[in-house]
Amino acid sequence: MTALDRRLLSDNTAVGPDGMLAVGGCSIADVAAEYGTPVFIYDEQHLRDRCREAVAAFGQDRVIYATKAFLCRAMARLAYDEGMLLDVASGGELHVAMAAGVPASACTLHGNNKSTAELRQAIAAGVKHVIVDSFDECDRIDALHAAGVGPVPDVVLRITPGVSAHTHEFISTGQNDSKFGFNLANGDADRAVDRARRSASMNLVGVHCHIGSNVFEASSFAKAAEVMADFAVPLDLPELVLGGGLGVAYIEGEEAPTITQWGNVLLDACESLGVRSRVSVEPGRSIAAAAAMTVYTVGTIKDIPGVRTYVSVDGGMSDNPRPVLYGSGYESFLPRCVDDERELTARLVGKHCESGDVLAFAARLPTDLAVGDLLAMPVTGAYGHSMGSNYNKITRPPVVFCADGDARLVVRRESFDDLLATDVFVEG
Ligand code: LLP
């Protein structure tokens, strides 16, 4: 069997009478005709259902959506309306969240190198927590307090627990050798607690850890919970934040725990370890990844007999840098025949001017693939749009939310004029 495993598609997909796949009741061909390609198509109900699953597992206000995974105003609002708080990791993410009408009091600010300006923006706006990452950041918060910037923020200290998650080195963050947080092993974590407790410029309310991203093994989370519980229980603080990191299946054969299972593992571990704090988490990928697919148009097919076939689409590393950055795998299929066998193995590439511009190193596709076909890549809803670029001055794709037969544009395609919007040029 080489047909696509339909479990990689979002929840609300179905083949229409014309054989074309529909997302949220919207034919992919119609969405592509209206908004062009490439286009990110989100199954809005799938997004909502993952938010609801997370809130059911952990409780209202105990799930903090990691906006870095995918953020636009519609997404910020959707997550907030579904009972989640928002984790922002920059002044820009905070700005977008607040522009969607999400109150600062529902946002928590992250970052290993927050600027004084970002801290001022967040503190003055009244964010729920500043997750403090370093002693230098403590100095900056002290200086703002001395300068009369208030209110005094509630802070959570980011602890580096020394737990290595089984994931790609670039997205593993909990090990001792990390730019993030206060290390538990060398006593920095204790020193940070001491400093925060004595400080008049911050209220210490809890501790935090995040061991890494796209983690498939529940045991890694249980281990982190255990290490954090050892540290946190004697402190007796109201908040314990255990980060995000739950993996998702991108390709055939991958199996990740569900959000519900993740919740059970973490909450059971915390209970048996005697944690009395409110436990919250910060999922990003597990909320957004499987909710979307990217739809491209096939432009050039180059067959080099005895070598390989290259299939080029009208996007590439600018809308999905993950294959190039992390060697991440993705499936691909033709929405006009989602269940067809895929017996052609080809290198799926974009339109950027470099050979590294690969979307799938060994994509499986139907043999009748032709120039002009729509080609879809599932599970692109997290860290695709958000990590996109304008390389080669390619305009960023639009984002469309589909639900109940309605396709709603939430981010329009960039125009050539947008490419000049920040370009300051004085002729002569
Ligand atoms: N909390 C903190 C403090 C984080 O640093 C992250 C992700 C999350 C929560 C959300 O993690 P998630 O549930 O999405 O795994 N660009 C990479 C992922 C980088 C993740 C960075 N931090 C990728 O495309 O795989």
Side-chain angles (χ1 to χ4, degrees):
M1 275 291 284
T2 59
L4 178 78
D5 180 348
R6 282 236 218 156
R7 286 177 304 173
L8 292 170
L9 298 178
S10 63
D11 292 350
N12 306 289
T13 51
V15 175
D18 58 352
M20 178 61 66
L21 190 71
V23 177
C26 303
S27 151
I28 288 175
D30 291 349
V31 176
E34 186 165 356
Y35 298 108
T37 58
V39 55
F40 286 96
I41 301 182
Y42 279 78
D43 175 340
E44 183 173 349
Q45 193 56 47
H46 181 113
L47 274 179
R48 288 191 189 279
D49 288 343
R50 291 296 82 72
C51 295
R52 286 173 196 177
E53 183 183 354
V55 172
F58 291 94
Q60 180 89 15
D61 286 350
R62 296 196 185 186
V63 188
I64 313 167
Y65 170 61
T67 61
K68 71 203 81 184
F70 166 58
L71 178 62
C72 60
R73 284 184 291 180
M75 182 62 205
R77 198 47 192 259
L78 182 153
Y80 178 65
D81 288 346
E82 294 296 343
M84 296 165 89
L85 306 176
L86 301 189
D87 147 10
V88 296
S90 70
E93 287 181 353
L94 178 59
H95 183 74
V96 173
M98 290 180 66
V102 176
S105 58
C107 298
T108 64
L109 180 69
H110 264 288
N112 67 299
N113 185 22
K114 305 174 190 75
S115 67
T116 300
E118 285 173 318
L119 288 166
R120 182 188 295 111
Q121 172 194 1
I123 291 170
V127 293
K128 182 174 173 63
H129 299 143
V130 175
I131 292 90
V132 173
D133 213 284
S134 68
F135 293 110
D136 289 321
E137 183 177 340
C138 294
D139 291 345
R140 290 194 273 275
I141 294 174
D142 285 348
L144 286 168
H145 181 70
V149 176
V152 173
D154 285 350
V155 305
V156 169
L157 299 176
R158 179 163 180 169
I159 308 299
T160 311
V163 174
S164 298
H166 298 280
T167 186
H168 192 284
E169 179 196 349
F170 291 178
I171 54 177
S172 178
T173 50
Q175 71 284 6
N176 283 327
D177 182 1
S178 168
K179 72 170 179 171
F180 296 103
F182 298 100
N183 285 35
L184 203 52
N186 67 6
D188 276 353
D190 291 316
R191 280 186 281 278
V193 169
D194 204 44
R195 173 163 176 175
R197 278 197 159 142
R198 284 186 289 102
S199 170
S201 56
M202 52 185 105
N203 292 323
L204 179 63
V205 297
V207 290
H208 167 285
C209 79
H210 170 76
I211 54 170
S213 198
N214 207 26
V215 178
F216 284 80
E217 282 156 64
S219 60
S220 295
F221 293 113
K223 179 75 195 155
E226 192 184 314
V227 174
M228 288 302 286
D230 274 355
F231 181 65
V233 169
L235 299 177
D236 199 23
L237 293 166
E239 306 279 350
L240 174 62
V241 189
L242 292 175
L246 178 61
V248 302
Y250 282 93
I251 53 172
E252 207 133 340
E254 282 184 335
E255 206 74 57
T258 64
I259 293 173
T260 308
Q261 288 165 340
W262 183 50
N264 289 339
V265 167
L266 283 184
L267 295 180
D268 287 355
C270 286
E271 199 187 322
S272 65
L273 294 159
V275 171
R276 289 199 311 276
S277 323
R278 283 161 48 96
V279 175
S280 21
V281 287
E282 302 169 323
R285 189 188 317 264
S286 54
I287 300 292
M293 63 175 76
T294 312
V295 176
Y296 302 97
T297 302
V298 174
T300 298
I301 301 173
K302 175 180 175 181
D303 183 41
I304 313 168
V307 180
R308 75 173 84 247
T309 301
Y310 284 91
V311 173
S312 302
V313 294
D314 51 356
M317 63 195 292
S318 57
D319 58 74
N320 186 1
R322 300 192 71 260
V324 187
L325 269 178
Y326 317 118
S328 308
Y330 285 88
E331 300 285 344
S332 45
F333 66 96
L334 304 185
R336 66 169 163 79
C337 55
V338 60
D339 294 322
D340 274 20
E341 296 298 319
R342 300 169 303 164
E343 272 156 10
L344 169 71
T345 300
R347 183 153 291 179
L348 186 63
V349 296
K351 61 178 284 157
H352 293 277
C353 296
E354 60 182 75
S355 299
D357 173 27
V358 175
L359 287 168
F361 289 89
R364 285 181 298 178
L365 291 159
T367 47
D368 68 345
L369 169 88
V371 171
D373 263 332
L374 294 175
L375 181 151
M377 189 167 258
V379 204
T380 58
Y383 305 109
H385 183 265
S386 67
M387 290 175 71
S389 76
N390 276 132
Y391 183 36
N392 290 134
K393 291 287 181 270
I394 286 179
T395 54
R396 282 174 236 245
V399 179
V400 178
F401 277 13
C402 293
D404 302 325
D406 187 36
R408 174 163 76 103
L409 184 68
V410 297
V411 180
R412 67 159 169 78
R413 184 181 304 285
E414 274 180 345
S415 67
F416 285 171
D417 279 345
D418 290 331
L419 297 175
L420 297 174
T422 55
D423 183 317
V424 181
F425 173 63
V426 182
E427 210 162 352

